[in-house]
Amino acid sequence: MKDYLSYRDTVLRGTIVSHMGSTIDSLLLHGAGKATRQRGRPIADMLESLGHGSYAFDFVGHGETGGDLEGTTLRMRHEQAEAALSVLNGRCAVVGFSMGGEIAIRIGVQHKFPVILLFYPAIYAAEAYDQPFGSAFSETIRKEGSWMSSDAFQLLSQYEGRVGIVIGSDDKIIPKGVVSELTRSATSAETIVVERVPKGSHLLMNDLIERPEAMARIGRILDLVVS
C-alpha cells in the first residue's frame, strides 16, 4: 500500500506505521507552524502497540510535502485529510494535534470514527475556515473568544464515539476555555477522557519524549480510549 497520495497538483508525503498485514485504521493530523507528521510518531507507535496501524502525512506547506503554505486554508486541510482516508483500510481513531484538532473533529464525526483523540486541540472562528493563512487569518484567530463561533462544538455534540483530550497544564497557546467547552459539548459521547499533563507546554510531544513517566500516562489513556 502506498504511503503518499495526490491532492490537486501536489503529492502529499506520508508514513504508514503498521505491522505487516495489520489494519491501517487510524489517521494522524499534525498542527501548524513548523509541525510535520513526524511530531506524532510516538502516538503512532503507541497505537501500533495496541494493534492499530496508522497513517500520517505532511499537509501542503509542511515537511516533505512542501509547497506554499500561504494561501491555503483550513478547508483545504480538511480536503487533504479527506483524501488521506483512501490510505486507510479500516476505521478506529482520528488523531488531531493543535490545528489538526478541529479537522479531526470534522473527519471523526462525518465518517463515524469510533475514536477521536485530540492533543492540545486548536479550535477556530467560523470565519477563519475559508480565510487564507497569512496576516488576516492570524488577526482573525487572535480576537479574544473568536474560537467560540466554531461549529466544531455543535458537530462534537452529535458524536457518539469515544473522545480523548490531552493538553499540557502550562499550554500558553490554546485558550483556557477550549478544552472545557469541548468537554461540555460532547454530550452524546460514549466516553470522554481528559488528561492534563503537569508542566506540559504546547510543544507537548517534545515534553513527553523527555519525560517517560508522562509518556506512560498517555499510553494508559490511549489504552483506555482506543482498546
Side-chain angles (χ1 to χ4, degrees):
M1 182 175 291
K2 67 181 183 181
D3 58 2
Y4 62 92
L5 60 142
S6 297
Y7 169 73
R8 299 189 181 184
D9 58 351
T10 303
V11 175
L12 304 177
R13 300 293 177 179
T15 300
I16 292 170
V17 177
S18 177
H19 291 301
M20 187 175 296
S22 64
T23 301
I24 303 167
D25 58 14
S26 301
L27 176 64
L28 278 64
L29 306 172
H30 71 70
K34 297 181 179 180
T36 71
R37 68 187 191 273
Q38 300 301 333
R39 189 167 289 176
R41 181 58 187 261
I43 305 306
D45 290 339
M46 287 184 181
L47 287 167
E48 183 184 28
S49 73
L50 296 171
H52 298 281
S54 67
Y55 179 67
F57 68 96
D58 291 332
F59 284 107
V60 172
H62 292 262
E64 293 182 333
T65 293
D68 190 0
L69 175 65
E70 193 159 332
T72 64
T73 64
L74 285 168
R75 182 184 294 276
M76 292 172 69
R77 291 204 174 204
H78 188 176
E79 292 171 355
Q80 292 164 54
E82 290 277 352
L85 294 177
S86 65
V87 179
L88 307 187
N89 53 22
R91 292 283 189 276
C92 175
V94 57
V95 186
F97 301 86
S98 194
M99 182 179 276
E102 180 165 321
I103 306 302
I105 291 171
R106 295 178 184 277
I107 292 287
V109 173
Q110 180 181 352
H111 294 279
K112 300 185 186 304
F113 273 76
V115 176
I116 296 175
L117 286 171
L118 305 172
F119 285 82
Y120 38 97
I123 303 296
Y124 296 93
E127 64 184 292
Y129 186 62
D130 286 304
Q131 198 165 25
F133 297 145
S135 58
F137 176 86
S138 298
E139 183 177 347
T140 295
I141 66 173
R142 286 173 182 162
K143 293 176 183 176
E144 186 173 358
S146 64
W147 54 271
M148 297 182 70
S149 68
S150 173
D151 64 351
F153 301 111
Q154 190 274 330
L155 288 172
L156 192 61
S157 72
Q158 305 168 20
Y159 182 67
E160 297 180 349
R162 287 162 282 166
V163 180
I165 303 175
V166 179
I167 190 164
S169 64
D170 295 342
D171 193 315
K172 306 299 185 186
I173 301 298
I174 305 303
K176 294 295 184 184
V178 166
V179 171
S180 59
E181 187 63 21
L182 287 170
T183 304
R184 188 197 66 79
S185 299
T187 53
S188 299
E190 175 187 340
T191 303
I192 182 162
V193 177
V194 178
E195 175 69 21
R196 297 184 183 274
V197 179
K199 300 181 180 179
S201 69
H202 191 64
L203 295 177
L204 186 59
M205 298 314 300
N206 293 344
D207 297 341
L208 292 175
I209 290 170
E210 296 171 359
R211 296 168 56 192
E213 80 289 349
M215 185 68 86
R217 290 174 65 177
I218 302 309
R220 288 192 291 273
I221 295 297
L222 263 66
D223 192 26
L224 178 64
V225 175
V226 174
S227 297

